[in-house]
């Protein structure tokens, strides 16, 4: 970057200067966030990556993450710290940050939508699919029928039949997963309401959504599915479920009924 920067256009040089000044922070940014903070454009960020020999922004971030990880490898041979305590500390920080980020009004609006929805579709890829499955489980306990397509092509086909009255809840930590974006665009164009659970406020998914529920702790290319990111998303899921029961207390009886239906499965 240092060798290329002097020969770059001013727009690309601004991106290079920003990355060189704080490379660690770039790992946690979407292309939109980097473009905004570098006072450039998304197209310039793409050109910057290609100037350095990378086909796209994610490829550049992966290479940057590898290099920073190499530079930051510890040289000390001392005893490791308390890993469990470190995880507890990061989880607590992530939950507290998510609490500050969450708009209670949006949680209430999303919960109301779920109670009146014609159809509820949930989708997430890879680690985000774990959050999606947990949401499906929580809604089932409340008597709200929701569907997850375990295949991206099936989910995309389902989105082609979306209609007004449908609610699509899309989980994507990065907010830029191509399959998830395609589903959001299809469903939104057909009148469905789109809810995004993401860790990036400025992302392509957030731009499409009618409602954005923001979790803390964005992931880097090397930390996909990281514990702080996942626990932040699970907090959002539980907040939705709890709000649904607050809006419709009869759902508490449904929880008892669904629990009783499988009670004989325990020894």
């Amino acid at each position: 970057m240092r060798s290329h920067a002097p020969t770059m256009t001013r727009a690309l040089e601004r991106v290079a200067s920003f990355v060189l000044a704080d490379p660690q922070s770039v790992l946690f940014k979407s292309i939109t966030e980097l473009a905004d903070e570098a006072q450039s454009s998304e197209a310039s960020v793409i050109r910057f990556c290609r100037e350095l020999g990378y086909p796209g922004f994610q490829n550049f971030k992966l290479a940057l993450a590898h290099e920073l990880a190499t530079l930051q490898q510890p040289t000390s041979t001392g005893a490791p710290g308390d890993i469990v305590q470190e995880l507890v500390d990061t989880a607590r920080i992530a939950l507290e940050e998510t609490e500050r980020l969450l708009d209670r009004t949006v949680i209430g609006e999303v919960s109301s939508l779920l109670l009146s929805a014609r159809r509820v579709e949930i989708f997430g890829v890879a680690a985000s699919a774990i959050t999606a499955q947990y949401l499906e489980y929580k809604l089932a306990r409340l008597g709200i029928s929701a569907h997850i397509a375990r295949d991206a092509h099936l989910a995309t086909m389902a989105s082609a039949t979306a209609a007004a009255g449908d609610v699509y809840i899309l989980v994507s930590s990065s907010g830029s997963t191509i399959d998830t974006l395609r589903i959001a665009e299809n469903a939104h164009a057909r009148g469905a309401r789109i809810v995004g659970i993401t860790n990036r406020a400025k992302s392509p998914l957030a731009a499409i959504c009618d409602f954005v529920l923001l979790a803390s702790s964005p992931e880097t290319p090397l930390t996909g599915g990281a514990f702080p990111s996942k626990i932040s998303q699970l907090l959002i899921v539980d907040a939705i479920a709890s709000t649904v029961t607050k809006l419709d207390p009869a759902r508490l009886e449904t929880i008892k009924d669904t629990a009783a239906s499988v009670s004989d499965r325990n020894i």
Side-chain angles (χ1 to χ4, degrees), residues 49-143:
C49 296
R50 290 176 178 169
E51 184 88 5
L52 296 176
Y54 301 101
F57 181 56
Q58 294 302 322
N59 307 87
F60 166 73
K61 281 211 304 184
L62 182 60
L64 181 62
H66 276 296
E67 180 157 344
L68 290 175
T70 301
L71 292 172
Q72 294 169 0
Q73 281 182 349
T75 57
S76 171
T77 57
D82 186 337
I83 299 300
V84 173
Q85 186 60 55
E86 290 175 7
L87 287 171
V88 170
D89 291 341
T90 56
R92 184 180 66 253
I93 293 169
L95 290 171
E96 290 173 349
E97 289 180 352
T98 303
E99 179 193 8
R100 289 192 290 268
L101 290 169
L102 279 177
D103 187 326
R104 275 55 165 182
T105 301
V106 173
I107 293 175
E109 291 172 339
V110 170
S111 300
S112 295
L113 277 178
L114 291 173
L115 288 169
S116 60
R118 184 183 77 102
R119 183 175 71 171
V120 178
E121 292 282 342
I122 310 171
F123 184 73
V125 172
S128 292
I130 297 170
T131 305
Q133 290 170 18
Y134 182 57
L135 176 58
E136 181 189 38
Y137 166 77
K138 295 293 286 189
L139 294 182
R141 291 298 308 273
L142 294 168

Side-chain angles (χ1 to χ4, degrees), residues 210-239:
D210 299 294
F211 304 96
V212 176
L213 294 169
L214 194 60
S216 180
S217 298
E219 300 170 346
T220 76
L222 298 182
T223 60
F227 177 56
S229 173
K230 289 279 92 55
I231 199 168
S232 299
Q233 292 179 354
L234 297 182
L235 171 63
I236 292 174
V237 170
D238 272 77

Side-chain angles (χ1 to χ4, degrees), residues 2-198:
R2 289 190 176 92
S3 63
H4 279 71
T7 63
M8 291 179 175
T9 64
R10 293 192 65 180
L12 272 60
E13 188 179 6
R14 285 196 296 271
V15 178
S17 297
F18 185 92
V19 175
L20 288 168
D22 191 3
Q24 189 71 38
S25 73
V26 176
L27 300 181
F28 297 94
K29 296 187 186 300
S30 66
I31 187 171
T32 306
E33 290 170 327
L34 177 57
D36 286 349
E37 295 183 33
Q39 298 181 336
S40 187
S41 66
E42 293 182 21
S44 293
V45 173
I46 294 295
R47 289 198 299 272
F48 163 78
C49 296
R50 290 176 178 169
E51 184 88 5
L52 296 176
Y54 301 101
F57 181 56
Q58 294 302 322
N59 307 87
F60 166 73
K61 281 211 304 184
L62 182 60
L64 181 62
H66 276 296
E67 180 157 344
L68 290 175
T70 301
L71 292 172
Q72 294 169 0
Q73 281 182 349
T75 57
S76 171
T77 57
D82 186 337
I83 299 300
V84 173
Q85 186 60 55
E86 290 175 7
L87 287 171
V88 170
D89 291 341
T90 56
R92 184 180 66 253
I93 293 169
L95 290 171
E96 290 173 349
E97 289 180 352
T98 303
E99 179 193 8
R100 289 192 290 268
L101 290 169
L102 279 177
D103 187 326
R104 275 55 165 182
T105 301
V106 173
I107 293 175
E109 291 172 339
V110 170
S111 300
S112 295
L113 277 178
L114 291 173
L115 288 169
S116 60
R118 184 183 77 102
R119 183 175 71 171
V120 178
E121 292 282 342
I122 310 171
F123 184 73
V125 172
S128 292
I130 297 170
T131 305
Q133 290 170 18
Y134 182 57
L135 176 58
E136 181 189 38
Y137 166 77
K138 295 293 286 189
L139 294 182
R141 291 298 308 273
L142 294 168
I144 297 175
S145 179
H147 173 256
I148 292 182
R150 266 66 179 185
D151 179 271
H153 286 188
L154 288 174
T156 304
M157 287 188 282
S159 69
T161 64
D166 294 348
V167 177
Y168 274 70
I169 304 180
L170 303 174
V171 186
S172 174
S173 294
S174 68
S176 57
T177 305
I178 292 175
D179 288 322
T180 306
L181 291 174
R182 179 72 57 81
I183 293 163
E185 291 167 349
N186 285 350
H188 188 266
R190 289 162 176 77
R193 307 303 295 275
I194 312 300
V195 180
I197 298 177
T198 181

